Amino acid sequence: MSGGQEQGNWTLLTAHGRTLVAIAQDSDARMRDLAAVIGVTERTVQAIVADLEAAGYVTHTRIGRRNRYTVHENRPFRHPAQDGHLVGPLLDLLAGHKPHESLAQRPPAAEPAHTKP
């Protein structure tokens, strides 16, 4: 952009998308860990996870007092513009499927830097 215009306060992924990526990165993440990484409240994360479970993108298994999530990468995107595409390849790219790293060990998500050209 030119003329010193700011880029705005938006991101390419919705909170639902960021939540799915974060769960794919750490299947044992707690709601508070997810909230810190995504940049929303725990209550918001709870609602998003409920949406993702209802749509079949994730399931959870209770292990003691914790939940372990399973991401179903064979699920299609919900928007017609991505008809025929599965979420798996996007998660492979964004989650990196690196060795297990707990979200609790990562710093919270920073606000995107707005730079002027």
Side-chain angles (χ1 to χ4, degrees), residues 24-73:
Q25 290 173 322
D26 184 356
S27 62
D28 295 323
R30 299 173 300 174
M31 292 290 171
R32 74 179 71 168
D33 301 330
L34 293 170
V37 168
I38 296 158
V40 298
T41 66
E42 283 185 56
R43 182 174 284 209
T44 299
V45 170
Q46 290 170 347
I48 291 170
V49 170
D51 288 346
L52 293 172
E53 284 193 273
Y57 289 94
V58 298
T59 53
H60 76 274
T61 304
R62 194 81 173 154
I63 300 174
R65 296 175 58 194
R66 303 279 302 266
N67 287 324
R68 174 166 292 150
Y69 296 94
T70 301
V71 175
H72 302 285
E73 296 183 359

Side-chain angles (χ1 to χ4, degrees), residues 5 8 15 18 20-21 28 39 42 53 55 58 81-82 87-89 94 103 110 113 116:
Q5 294 175 324
R18 292 191 314 268
L20 189 59
V21 169
D28 295 323
E42 283 185 56
E53 284 193 273
V58 298
Q82 288 81 40
V87 298
L94 296 178
L103 290 175
K116 295 180 184 178

